[in-house]
Amino acid sequence: MAIQKVIYKKLLPLTTLFIFLLCAGYSQKVVRYDLYVKDTLVAFAGKEKRAIAVNGQIPMPTLSFTEGDTAEIHVHNLLKEETSLHWHGLFLPNKEDGVPNLTQMPIKPGTTHIYRFPIIQHGTHWYHSHSGLQEQIGMYGSMILNKRSADIEKRKDVDGLPTVPLILSEWTNYKPDNVHRMLHNATDWFALKKNAVQSYGEAIGAGHFKTKLRNEWKRMLAMDVSDVYYDKILMNGKPESVIDTVDGKKLKAGDKVRLRISNGAASSYFWLRYAGGKITVVANDGNDVVPVEVDRLIIAVSETYDIVLNIPAEGTAYELLATTEDRTNSASVYIGSGIKQLISPLPRLKYFEGMKMMNDMMKMNGDLDDMGMNMSLNQMDMNVVMYPEITGEVKPKQKEDDPNRYNANALSDIVTLNYAMLKAPEKTTLPDVPVKVLQFELTGNMNRYVWSMNNKVVSETDKILVKKGENLRLLIYNGSMMRHPMHLHGHDFRVLNGQGEYAPLKNVIDIMPMETDTLEFNANVEGDWFFHCHILYHMMSGMGRVFSYKDQQPNPLILNPKLAQRKLFADDRKMHFMFQNDVATNGNDGEMMLQNTRWSIGTEWRLGYNDMHGYETETHIGRYIGKMQWLMPFIGFDWRYRKMGLHAEEKNMFGQSNTKDNRAVISAGLNYTLPMLVRFQGEIFTDGIVRLQLMREDIPLTKRLRFAFMVNTDKEYMTGLHYIFSRALAVRTHYDSDMGFGAGFTFAY
Amino acid sequence: MKSFILLAFAALFTNNIAFAQIDNSVTVSAKIYGNCGMCKNSIEKAADKKKISKAIWDKDTKLANITYNSTKTSLDAVLKDIALAGYDNQSFLAPDDAYNKLPECCKYKRENKQPAVAQTLQPAPSSHENHEEHNQSKQDNTIKSTNQLTAVFDSYFTLKDALVKTDGNQASVKAKELKTAIEAVKMDKLGMDVHTVWMKLVNGLTEDAEHINETKDIAHQRDHFMRLSKNMYELMKVSKTSAPVYYQFCPMANNGKGANWLSREAGIKNPYYGAQMLTCGKTVETIQQ
């Protein structure tokens, strides 16, 4: 009896284990991929440039799994730099999430890292590098999680269709680091390339002089709907391609095709339009939605949409056109075989109408005013005032007080998708547990390219602690002038969009300026989860937060949490360098600056060619204050040497005299940006002298011509013009009260 | 001697001007549809890219000699630009709106544009497999009738869309498609109930479609669209539609007597007024399967 008991006791767990293993072996297929990450050269836009290829290809290979599989992905880093891979939209253990210095340490050059996690969901997802700016130069790919065959039967009219994954991306011939640096230095080179400078000359030509004046009065630089100019747009790595066969079967008239589209671009939104009729949206961010027919949709950075397209006629391939939001570039894929039926490109944006709209929305203190419209879910698109296909070619026809004046679907017969039209096929309600409400304002300022949440960047904030099991409700208001696709790692959230219990599930939500959206999710997986804007350059500027579960197990991959945090924070603390020097007939002057979110270290110099003209430098170290960063107090150091001869002494406007011949002083002062973007500088030096100064250097007269002026209480003044030849070179002529008239070249970096 | 060298230089120079316009040039002949001298101008303008491509089009042969720099562009890129200007060619069909914007004399016959076919039906969910036999056959019947009438409904909706856009030309074209679709319906394959209604309505439907087709006067087309919509409504009520259809009503149409139409979208897009009063009206009934 006793023996029997012992055997029983010993055997039972063994058998259970055996049965468990058997089950596991049966349903849990391990699917392994080996990814070799390597430097490569590509020529997407004419010139050979560095890119990163995985297994020799861009985009990275499509990874497919079926719900219930276990994914095992071996990442071999053959680069000379660190890397990582993030599985966008996937539910997985935190240490597999692939955010370097947060959920794991970066994958060092020459090493291999293994990601291993069960696939517990289905849908269209994608994966990308989360290290630096690697995503911009090739590290993005589709990740398709198929349904179990029993689930396919339930929605056979969609899931049984021929299916093709498509990943969108963009290419620039500039190094992404350089793009990032240029953005932080408020370059208008990209606007110039896009023909979107919106200068005074162009404004007068379009009858919008007052609009431009009012815009600058409100301290706005010319706005565009996107920041970066790209040379090429790619779909599955090609600007143009044909899909005429799927799984070896030729497509024919009457067929339907399902495209699983991911936006793997670093900073571009795309309009999707189809030459063969309506687009049926069947899933979003990997979650099924009740099919909805539209004429067009915009896919935000990092979103995914599954769409179904018809092939209406025989012998014809129909164009699916992906156009960047700024409409400067596009990519096409032709669905079907035969002669290619085109769709018209989107007409150019009416920039000055957009400027006028921004003027109306912007208060003098930099806050936005939605004039009581309560915008949300992309239903009201302020940008429609710029869309000729909606609001007409010339003057907008809608009235000032029309409640629908920004509602694209009410203004025209073109049906544009918005989030309120998405409905989950099944109930998505959360468990009935306590709700924690968090409010965020998306903040930022284009002039200095600072992007933040509640006016703080990642390195300036603590992790947000959440309790496992509770529900989180996020109220997010976008108070900045750009739209932001906000992405949450490791969870799907419900978007409260008026569909009640059938609110759609997403993991990215695009929030337009002045919109407020409400999201909620159940905190059900421990870990440190990143929540951030998915525009790569906004993320790297610190626009994000980390949700961290209370009392969680330490992450075994983060051995030194302090070091990891410092490295994570280094991203948005990075200093951006700029340099400019003018070599002219009357002297040599220039400046260089190092700047980050709050700090600025800058040196200016004016070097004459003889002692009479003199030599001087000013160095300022300052900190930007406030949301709009118009105010910057600083401390400075000035040095000057000059031999004047006669009039050796000069008096300033306050009657203080100053030899200026050999002067080395320390100062305290402040910069303030006045309306019309004029920079006021007040400074008091250790020798008691006070100097007040007004200046502006970049007044856009025409697309390429800029006007500059400076005047101060030392009775010095300068006025000049420069013409921009290329990104680095301009011709400049100016008159300086010290140095006289001069002409020369300006080099900028 | 001196003047000879000068001459040689001059010759070289002019030579350059004459031939250096397009480097690495390739010239090919391509078919481009069009009618008249106006078409010639637009086609050649669309192909003309400084130092990159140009075309000379012959309106009799419909052939264009296209010269392009093969390192900077391709034949297809040039043909795409021509198609975007409204001209079908061997590789591309022009967008419909670009074609519609062409001047009347340029509206060539679109030989390469194929008519739309009815959509292939998706396999029915397999959960219905174990139904009893007569149930099965009834279901088949329904599918057949839906299938047959899909093309009729589809062309009705595209006709409606043309009227929403106040596009008389397009409406005429779509009415023709509707007429073709009506004629293609095989009555004996319709279910019993649908068959009866069809018999009653078919003459009226055909007549209205014909009238809309024959004119490009939008007011006249809209008059006929009222009765057409009424008949279509009766037909949709009895036959099965795959997606919900909205029966909508504008009280201002028909000189204040009001008129109805059908739409697949819940939002109001008024076919009787178009942009003039696009959102006038409301949904009075939703036809579900």
Side-chain angles (χ1 to χ4, degrees), chain A residues 153 161 240 253-256 278 310 312-314 319 332 334 339-345 409-410 412-413 415, chain B residues 80 83-84 89-95 97 112-117 119-120 122 126 164-165 265 269 278-279:
Chain A
E153 290 302 320
L161 293 175
E240 279 196 70
D255 281 355
K256 288 182 176 183
K278 297 268 185 188
N310 296 320
E314 209 54 71
E319 184 178 34
S332 307
Y334 300 96
I339 192 162
K340 291 165 181 152
Q341 171 68 60
L342 299 174
I343 185 165
S344 285
N409 288 346
S412 82
D413 58 341
V415 180
Chain B
K80 189 171 179 179
L84 289 174
N89 54 58
Q90 60 191 45
S91 299
F92 295 96
L93 295 173
D97 56 336
N112 282 346
K113 201 165 159 74
Q114 304 294 321
V117 300
Q119 278 166 33
T120 21
Q122 295 313 315
S126 56
V164 169
K165 283 189 188 136
E265 294 138 33
K269 301 273 166 70
L278 188 66
T279 53

Side-chain angles (χ1 to χ4, degrees), chain A residues 39 87 140 154 214 241 279 288 300 361 403 416 426 498 524 578 594 611 662 681 693:
Chain A
D39 271 325
W87 323 100
Y140 45 80
K154 286 185 204 150
R214 203 161 153 242
S241 55
I279 295 172
D288 286 352
M361 300 296 153
T416 306
E426 275 152 25
N524 55 8
M578 73 82 83
L594 271 174
D611 287 356
N662 195 350
Q681 191 176 80
Q693 178 171 293

Side-chain angles (χ1 to χ4, degrees), chain A residues 88-89 126 269 284-285 300-305 419 484-488 491-493 495 505-511 519 531-534:
Chain A
H88 185 105
W126 63 293
Y269 285 61
N284 172 223
D285 289 350
V301 174
S302 85
E303 276 188 315
T304 77
Y305 277 103
Y419 290 144
H484 300 285
M486 301 303 296
H487 171 54
L488 175 64
H491 307 69
D492 276 346
F493 47 74
V495 179
L505 293 170
K506 288 176 65 58
N507 52 58
V508 181
I509 184 160
D510 170 49
I511 308 177
L519 328 171
F531 176 56
H532 62 93
C533 174
H534 215 290

